[in-house]
Amino acid sequence: MHLIKDHGFTHPHSSEITPREQFEQRRELLRHLATGVAGIGLASWAARDALAQTTAGPGKLAKLPGVKSAVAGGMVMDKPTPYQDVTSYNNFYEFGTDKADPARTAGSLKPRPWTVSVEGEVGKPGTFDLDMLLKLAPIEERIYRLRCVEGWSMVVPWMGYSLSELIKKVEPTSKAKFVEFITLADKTQMPGLRSGVLDWPYTEGLRIDEAMNPLTLLTLGLYGEVLPNQNGAPVRLIVPWKYGFKSAKSIVKIRFVEKQPVSSWTRAAEQEYGFYSNVNPSVDHPRWSQASERRIGEGGVFAKKRPTLMFNGYEAQVGSLYAGMDLKKFY
């Protein structure tokens, strides 16, 4: 297998072309898919807290304090990925297809003023500005594993609250079977929109029971600070048991719908990126294995891969959502 090196890390993609050619061809951009590998167990919560304090944010952004989450599965005991890696190794195609592009170009994003409109099959549609979202529910720290479909992973201390808090406010009707997330598409702020890698705006979707699961996080920050632009400021989704591209960034609209929405990567390559996209080590991507992963920030390209966990390690919390489903058919 030919390994493509990208800023000190290695992608497990088979390819016979150069990285530059990948960024010039839509098909090869799909081969170099970006979205959004279990970790070092700590002896105690006190040890985990001490470790987290040594990798705190640099304090350059506004503080966003939060209480530690009591949600089951909300505080994994893996070693957090260093802040520098979390904020410099990103998939955010609106700002470029190279992993370093978002940190370099996302300064053009204006996270304030910002509004998120909620519409569709709800009893109380409306528009929420950023201050309203920040006050809608208590902010929690959630330390989640993040698994990318490309075969790498991180562990990130996110700040936010369960999306269900917002969903309850807008009162979905009985026709609301799915939730669609639509993100910002502004060429004046997002230079990557000039590319043809995806149809813009970026859209994603969940079944409503997935959206209501307590682990599904309406995310407003990381490492105790507001979200950096390159990580999806000012508001994004985190669905920790799914591959990272399911967690839409820079959300501007949430729609409750009766029919299953078509996600951006599903539209681009349906045979490769299904609607569910649950982390599943036994269901490979058509062009590479999903059985193992490389944890970013731990040993670089020479780090030993670790086994991928079913549902990214959250099977106890979310496995019942898919009882009786053929997970190879509904991938």
Side-chain angles (χ1 to χ4, degrees):
M1 181 172 68
H2 177 66
L3 296 178
I4 303 169
K5 293 185 178 180
D6 182 4
H7 300 286
F9 303 101
T10 302
H11 297 274
H13 295 197
S14 176
S15 175
E16 298 299 326
I17 66 171
T18 67
R20 179 54 54 191
E21 288 171 329
Q22 287 185 314
F23 300 144
E24 295 172 348
Q25 300 177 33
R26 181 185 179 105
R27 178 174 174 78
E28 296 310 317
L29 280 166
L30 291 175
R31 291 173 66 89
H32 187 59
L33 170 68
T35 325
V37 212
I40 298 176
L42 302 181
S44 65
W45 285 110
R48 188 206 61 77
D49 290 343
L51 178 61
Q53 290 172 10
T54 67
T55 53
K60 294 182 179 180
L61 299 176
K63 295 294 185 183
L64 187 62
V67 299
K68 287 180 171 53
S69 179
V71 170
M75 300 289 287
V76 302
M77 298 181 72
D78 300 20
K79 178 183 177 181
T81 301
Y83 181 93
Q84 177 62 26
D85 291 320
V86 172
T87 57
S88 65
Y89 193 78
N90 305 110
N91 284 322
F92 199 171
Y93 277 17
E94 288 88 332
F95 295 101
T97 54
D98 189 277
K99 291 291 185 294
D101 283 345
R104 180 176 58 83
T105 66
S108 55
L109 179 67
K110 300 175 182 177
R112 279 184 178 272
W114 194 276
T115 59
V116 177
S117 63
V118 181
E119 59 186 49
E121 298 294 343
V122 292
K124 295 182 177 180
T127 299
F128 297 80
D129 65 25
L130 187 55
D131 289 325
M132 294 170 67
L133 291 175
L134 287 166
K135 297 175 182 177
L136 189 143
I139 300 294
E140 298 181 5
E141 180 189 53
R142 304 273 184 94
I143 302 182
Y144 283 165
R145 302 179 193 94
L146 173 67
R147 173 61 154 83
C148 182
V149 72
E150 295 174 339
W152 55 265
S153 68
M154 295 181 176
V155 178
V156 184
W158 303 105
M159 314 303 296
Y161 48 81
S162 296
L163 177 66
S164 59
E165 298 289 347
L166 175 61
I167 293 176
K168 289 183 289 186
K169 296 282 186 183
V170 299
E171 299 181 0
T173 72
S174 60
K175 291 183 178 181
K177 308 300 183 183
F178 297 88
V179 187
E180 183 178 35
F181 305 90
I182 301 171
T183 69
L184 182 68
D186 184 346
K187 290 182 179 179
T188 65
Q189 300 184 59
M190 296 173 153
L193 294 180
R194 302 183 185 96
S195 77
V197 59
L198 291 171
D199 293 331
W200 311 109
Y202 191 95
T203 60
E204 258 304 339
L206 298 171
R207 252 177 18 199
I208 195 163
D209 58 345
E210 295 177 315
M212 286 293 295
N213 186 278
L215 288 177
T216 302
L217 191 69
L218 191 70
T219 308
L220 298 155
L222 58 79
Y223 270 104
E225 299 178 2
V226 299
L227 283 171
N229 286 2
Q230 62 267 33
N231 292 93
V235 56
R236 65 171 294 171
L237 194 68
I238 293 293
V239 192
W241 69 94
K242 295 179 180 287
Y243 292 119
F245 65 87
K246 292 294 293 184
S247 296
K249 303 178 178 76
S250 300
I251 296 169
V252 294
K253 184 179 293 186
I254 300 174
R255 298 180 65 239
F256 290 77
V257 296
E258 190 170 6
K259 295 183 178 180
Q260 180 175 301
V262 180
S263 301
S264 288
W265 279 110
T266 302
R267 182 179 294 111
E270 183 178 4
Q271 73 281 9
E272 299 189 3
Y273 309 110
F275 176 79
Y276 286 95
S277 293
N278 291 318
V279 177
N280 189 340
S282 65
V283 176
D284 291 337
H285 186 280
R287 288 179 279 109
W288 59 84
S289 170
Q290 295 289 16
S292 62
E293 60 196 57
R294 179 172 286 108
R295 181 68 52 82
I296 297 301
E298 295 183 0
V301 298
F302 301 107
K304 183 179 178 180
K305 289 188 175 182
R306 65 185 67 213
T308 293
L309 302 176
M310 186 65 194
F311 294 115
N312 205 23
Y314 299 96
E315 185 170 12
Q317 290 79 35
V318 304
S320 62
L321 295 174
Y322 311 102
M325 290 179 63
D326 182 344
L327 298 182
K328 291 188 176 182
K329 178 180 179 180
F330 298 100
Y331 59 93

